[in-house]
Amino acid sequence: MVKYKNKYLDDVFSALSDPTRRSMLQRLKLGPAKVTELAEPFAMSLPAVSKHIRILEKSNLLQRTRKGREHWCQINPKTMDEALKWLQDHCALWNSLLDSLENHLDNQKDKNKGE
Amino acid sequence: MVKYKNKYLDDVFSALSDPTRRSMLQRLKLGPAKVTELAEPFAMSLPAVSKHIRILEKSNLLQRTRKGREHWCQINPKTMDEALKWLQDHCALWNSLLDSLENHLDNQKDKNKGE
DNA sequence: TTTATATTTAACCATCTGGTTAAATATTAT
DNA sequence: ATAATATTTAACCAGATGGTTAAATATAAA
């Protein structure tokens, strides 16, 4: 049984549950960006974008570097690593679960055939 | 570039962002359970549990079958399959991102050595 | 038919979320 | 010094979230 310190997962999944933030992360995969660049694709005010960035930052998915008046954002590799590990384990768990469910369903099917 | 119908991801990640619900899913990996069984480990009222189950149901991670007055819950294999596919892709994307970030950081390190 | 069990619905509450506009702060350019 | 740019903070709002208790519903058991 795999056990995790879970408070951080709350924040990560919560951060990922918003399409604007997922989209921002997608953008950041292409490389660092400053706040206005991150804001550009969205029809929302800068303060709203600022809040999304803060949430990503709090979840540790995003890292901010101040360079003068510009704030440069990039994906945080350390947390990415941790999140990645969790996701991989979780994928594995779900994978094996799915297998057993498929077996179960196949068995059911066979049973129904026999009736 | 991988593109997803994302509304359903909102619900899945949102459902996963709560520790009670993650815990319920963990429980359901062991097999189907009725509402009271799912409720048992938690110091919260049945209506609260009922709401969590509804959220999991709405996210399609959980499937409910009424059998008389008992409601049996189990993980929904169809959605699990879809979620799994997404997670695997996402893992892959993050994996390769992580590699490139590591390379980037290594290059930075080398550069700093040279200065 | 009455009672007990399993679960939901309704009404409520405090807090969080995601947005807004207006004002503040910090830095850079003129 | 003044003006422009980049970004945040403050105050506010509507709606969602996660919990509560009390009442309703549906089924099973006595």
mmCIF file of all heavy atoms in Angstrom, chain B residues 21-43:
data_model
loop_
_atom_site.group_PDB
_atom_site.id
_atom_site.type_symbol
_atom_site.label_atom_id
_atom_site.label_comp_id
_atom_site.label_asym_id
_atom_site.label_seq_id
_atom_site.Cartn_x
_atom_site.Cartn_y
_atom_site.Cartn_z
ATOM 1 N N ARG B 21 -12.494 12.224 -0.389
ATOM 2 C CA ARG B 21 -12.889 11.526 -1.619
ATOM 3 C C ARG B 21 -11.770 10.638 -2.134
ATOM 4 O O ARG B 21 -12.014 9.523 -2.598
ATOM 5 C CB ARG B 21 -13.317 12.540 -2.677
ATOM 6 C CG ARG B 21 -14.640 13.204 -2.336
ATOM 7 C CD ARG B 21 -15.212 13.985 -3.487
ATOM 8 N NE ARG B 21 -14.462 15.174 -3.822
ATOM 9 C CZ ARG B 21 -14.732 16.401 -3.359
ATOM 10 N NH1 ARG B 21 -15.732 16.580 -2.526
ATOM 11 N NH2 ARG B 21 -14.001 17.427 -3.723
ATOM 12 N N ARG B 22 -10.518 11.098 -2.038
ATOM 13 C CA ARG B 22 -9.412 10.217 -2.451
ATOM 14 C C ARG B 22 -9.407 8.965 -1.599
ATOM 15 O O ARG B 22 -9.213 7.853 -2.080
ATOM 16 C CB ARG B 22 -8.074 10.956 -2.331
ATOM 17 C CG ARG B 22 -7.830 11.976 -3.438
ATOM 18 C CD ARG B 22 -6.349 12.330 -3.562
ATOM 19 N NE ARG B 22 -5.763 12.796 -2.321
ATOM 20 C CZ ARG B 22 -5.821 14.051 -1.886
ATOM 21 N NH1 ARG B 22 -6.449 14.968 -2.588
ATOM 22 N NH2 ARG B 22 -5.258 14.381 -0.757
ATOM 23 N N SER B 23 -9.653 9.171 -0.318
ATOM 24 C CA SER B 23 -9.679 8.042 0.600
ATOM 25 C C SER B 23 -10.800 7.067 0.245
ATOM 26 O O SER B 23 -10.626 5.845 0.285
ATOM 27 C CB SER B 23 -9.854 8.588 2.014
ATOM 28 O OG SER B 23 -9.792 7.556 2.955
ATOM 29 N N MET B 24 -11.956 7.612 -0.128
ATOM 30 C CA MET B 24 -13.071 6.755 -0.539
ATOM 31 C C MET B 24 -12.711 5.941 -1.771
ATOM 32 O O MET B 24 -13.050 4.761 -1.869
ATOM 33 C CB MET B 24 -14.308 7.608 -0.831
ATOM 34 C CG MET B 24 -14.970 8.149 0.418
ATOM 35 S SD MET B 24 -16.336 9.263 -0.026
ATOM 36 C CE MET B 24 -17.139 9.431 1.577
ATOM 37 N N LEU B 25 -12.022 6.578 -2.707
ATOM 38 C CA LEU B 25 -11.620 5.850 -3.915
ATOM 39 C C LEU B 25 -10.643 4.730 -3.565
ATOM 40 O O LEU B 25 -10.742 3.619 -4.086
ATOM 41 C CB LEU B 25 -10.982 6.807 -4.929
ATOM 42 C CG LEU B 25 -11.944 7.754 -5.654
ATOM 43 C CD1 LEU B 25 -11.192 8.708 -6.543
ATOM 44 C CD2 LEU B 25 -12.975 6.973 -6.460
ATOM 45 N N GLN B 26 -9.714 5.052 -2.670
ATOM 46 C CA GLN B 26 -8.783 4.021 -2.188
ATOM 47 C C GLN B 26 -9.557 2.824 -1.657
ATOM 48 O O GLN B 26 -9.288 1.677 -1.999
ATOM 49 C CB GLN B 26 -7.887 4.573 -1.058
ATOM 50 C CG GLN B 26 -6.926 5.659 -1.469
ATOM 51 C CD GLN B 26 -5.655 5.140 -2.111
ATOM 52 O OE1 GLN B 26 -5.696 4.236 -2.931
ATOM 53 N NE2 GLN B 26 -4.537 5.745 -1.765
ATOM 54 N N ARG B 27 -10.546 3.133 -0.810
ATOM 55 C CA ARG B 27 -11.387 2.061 -0.255
ATOM 56 C C ARG B 27 -12.056 1.244 -1.350
ATOM 57 O O ARG B 27 -12.093 0.008 -1.295
ATOM 58 C CB ARG B 27 -12.428 2.667 0.685
ATOM 59 C CG ARG B 27 -13.611 1.771 1.033
ATOM 60 C CD ARG B 27 -13.211 0.508 1.783
ATOM 61 N NE ARG B 27 -14.324 -0.427 1.938
ATOM 62 C CZ ARG B 27 -14.734 -1.266 0.979
ATOM 63 N NH1 ARG B 27 -14.126 -1.271 -0.190
ATOM 64 N NH2 ARG B 27 -15.731 -2.100 1.221
ATOM 65 N N LEU B 28 -12.542 1.941 -2.370
ATOM 66 C CA LEU B 28 -13.290 1.244 -3.426
ATOM 67 C C LEU B 28 -12.397 0.370 -4.296
ATOM 68 O O LEU B 28 -12.882 -0.492 -5.018
ATOM 69 C CB LEU B 28 -14.052 2.254 -4.289
ATOM 70 C CG LEU B 28 -15.266 2.893 -3.610
ATOM 71 C CD1 LEU B 28 -15.940 3.896 -4.526
ATOM 72 C CD2 LEU B 28 -16.269 1.821 -3.164
ATOM 73 N N LYS B 29 -11.095 0.613 -4.206
ATOM 74 C CA LYS B 29 -10.188 -0.267 -4.941
ATOM 75 C C LYS B 29 -10.255 -1.694 -4.402
ATOM 76 O O LYS B 29 -9.995 -2.649 -5.125
ATOM 77 C CB LYS B 29 -8.746 0.240 -4.823
ATOM 78 C CG LYS B 29 -8.462 1.400 -5.760
ATOM 79 C CD LYS B 29 -7.070 1.916 -5.537
ATOM 80 C CE LYS B 29 -6.864 3.215 -6.292
ATOM 81 N NZ LYS B 29 -5.657 3.930 -5.836
ATOM 82 N N LEU B 30 -10.614 -1.814 -3.121
ATOM 83 C CA LEU B 30 -10.714 -3.142 -2.503
ATOM 84 C C LEU B 30 -11.981 -3.854 -2.935
ATOM 85 O O LEU B 30 -12.125 -5.064 -2.742
ATOM 86 C CB LEU B 30 -10.689 -3.017 -0.973
ATOM 87 C CG LEU B 30 -9.512 -2.224 -0.396
ATOM 88 C CD1 LEU B 30 -9.656 -2.081 1.105
ATOM 89 C CD2 LEU B 30 -8.199 -2.919 -0.739
ATOM 90 N N GLY B 31 -12.923 -3.096 -3.529
ATOM 91 C CA GLY B 31 -14.180 -3.701 -3.960
ATOM 92 C C GLY B 31 -15.352 -2.793 -3.647
ATOM 93 O O GLY B 31 -15.190 -1.789 -2.964
ATOM 94 N N PRO B 32 -16.552 -3.154 -4.149
ATOM 95 C CA PRO B 32 -17.745 -2.334 -3.950
ATOM 96 C C PRO B 32 -18.052 -2.147 -2.467
ATOM 97 O O PRO B 32 -17.659 -2.970 -1.634
ATOM 98 C CB PRO B 32 -18.851 -3.149 -4.622
ATOM 99 C CG PRO B 32 -18.155 -4.047 -5.582
ATOM 100 C CD PRO B 32 -16.825 -4.345 -4.969
ATOM 101 N N ALA B 33 -18.715 -1.059 -2.153
ATOM 102 C CA ALA B 33 -19.098 -0.789 -0.765
ATOM 103 C C ALA B 33 -20.402 -0.003 -0.768
ATOM 104 O O ALA B 33 -20.659 0.769 -1.690
ATOM 105 C CB ALA B 33 -18.010 0.012 -0.067
ATOM 106 N N LYS B 34 -21.198 -0.196 0.289
ATOM 107 C CA LYS B 34 -22.392 0.630 0.367
ATOM 108 C C LYS B 34 -22.084 1.895 1.153
ATOM 109 O O LYS B 34 -21.018 2.003 1.779
ATOM 110 C CB LYS B 34 -23.581 -0.135 0.947
ATOM 111 C CG LYS B 34 -23.271 -0.940 2.169
ATOM 112 C CD LYS B 34 -24.496 -1.742 2.595
ATOM 113 C CE LYS B 34 -24.297 -2.323 3.982
ATOM 114 N NZ LYS B 34 -25.544 -2.723 4.609
ATOM 115 N N VAL B 35 -23.016 2.842 1.100
ATOM 116 C CA VAL B 35 -22.756 4.168 1.628
ATOM 117 C C VAL B 35 -22.259 4.145 3.072
ATOM 118 O O VAL B 35 -21.253 4.777 3.397
ATOM 119 C CB VAL B 35 -24.021 5.054 1.501
ATOM 120 C CG1 VAL B 35 -23.829 6.383 2.196
ATOM 121 C CG2 VAL B 35 -24.363 5.264 0.041
ATOM 122 N N THR B 36 -22.939 3.410 3.920
ATOM 123 C CA THR B 36 -22.531 3.353 5.339
ATOM 124 C C THR B 36 -21.127 2.794 5.507
ATOM 125 O O THR B 36 -20.381 3.242 6.380
ATOM 126 C CB THR B 36 -23.514 2.498 6.155
ATOM 127 O OG1 THR B 36 -24.066 1.482 5.328
ATOM 128 C CG2 THR B 36 -24.613 3.347 6.738
ATOM 129 N N GLU B 37 -20.766 1.848 4.662
ATOM 130 C CA GLU B 37 -19.405 1.302 4.728
ATOM 131 C C GLU B 37 -18.385 2.367 4.341
ATOM 132 O O GLU B 37 -17.347 2.525 4.992
ATOM 133 C CB GLU B 37 -19.265 0.096 3.791
ATOM 134 C CG GLU B 37 -19.891 -1.192 4.335
ATOM 135 C CD GLU B 37 -19.993 -2.287 3.275
ATOM 136 O OE1 GLU B 37 -19.443 -2.087 2.158
ATOM 137 O OE2 GLU B 37 -20.621 -3.313 3.554
ATOM 138 N N LEU B 38 -18.705 3.097 3.278
ATOM 139 C CA LEU B 38 -17.806 4.176 2.849
ATOM 140 C C LEU B 38 -17.700 5.248 3.929
ATOM 141 O O LEU B 38 -16.648 5.855 4.115
ATOM 142 C CB LEU B 38 -18.321 4.822 1.556
ATOM 143 C CG LEU B 38 -17.925 4.145 0.259
ATOM 144 C CD1 LEU B 38 -18.474 4.924 -0.940
ATOM 145 C CD2 LEU B 38 -16.404 4.036 0.146
ATOM 146 N N ALA B 39 -18.803 5.469 4.630
ATOM 147 C CA ALA B 39 -18.846 6.522 5.649
ATOM 148 C C ALA B 39 -18.052 6.155 6.888
ATOM 149 O O ALA B 39 -17.497 7.042 7.556
ATOM 150 C CB ALA B 39 -20.294 6.801 6.032
ATOM 151 N N GLU B 40 -17.982 4.874 7.173
ATOM 152 C CA GLU B 40 -17.497 4.382 8.466
ATOM 153 C C GLU B 40 -16.197 5.018 8.957
ATOM 154 O O GLU B 40 -16.130 5.457 10.111
ATOM 155 C CB GLU B 40 -17.403 2.843 8.403
ATOM 156 C CG GLU B 40 -17.271 2.158 9.749
ATOM 157 C CD GLU B 40 -15.809 2.004 10.139
ATOM 158 O OE1 GLU B 40 -14.964 1.810 9.233
ATOM 159 O OE2 GLU B 40 -15.519 2.101 11.353
ATOM 160 N N PRO B 41 -15.142 5.151 8.108
ATOM 161 C CA PRO B 41 -13.872 5.686 8.637
ATOM 162 C C PRO B 41 -13.901 7.169 8.975
ATOM 163 O O PRO B 41 -12.951 7.666 9.585
ATOM 164 C CB PRO B 41 -12.880 5.453 7.489
ATOM 165 C CG PRO B 41 -13.555 4.550 6.518
ATOM 166 C CD PRO B 41 -15.013 4.767 6.698
ATOM 167 N N PHE B 42 -14.948 7.889 8.604
ATOM 168 C CA PHE B 42 -14.900 9.338 8.701
ATOM 169 C C PHE B 42 -15.760 9.881 9.833
ATOM 170 O O PHE B 42 -16.856 9.392 10.080
ATOM 171 C CB PHE B 42 -15.333 9.968 7.384
ATOM 172 C CG PHE B 42 -14.515 9.503 6.212
ATOM 173 C CD1 PHE B 42 -15.030 8.595 5.308
ATOM 174 C CD2 PHE B 42 -13.214 9.936 6.059
ATOM 175 C CE1 PHE B 42 -14.259 8.140 4.254
ATOM 176 C CE2 PHE B 42 -12.438 9.491 5.012
ATOM 177 C CZ PHE B 42 -12.958 8.584 4.098
ATOM 178 N N ALA B 43 -15.220 10.886 10.507
ATOM 179 C CA ALA B 43 -15.949 11.536 11.594
ATOM 180 C C ALA B 43 -16.825 12.626 11.001
ATOM 181 O O ALA B 43 -16.638 13.800 11.269
ATOM 182 C CB ALA B 43 -14.967 12.114 12.605
#
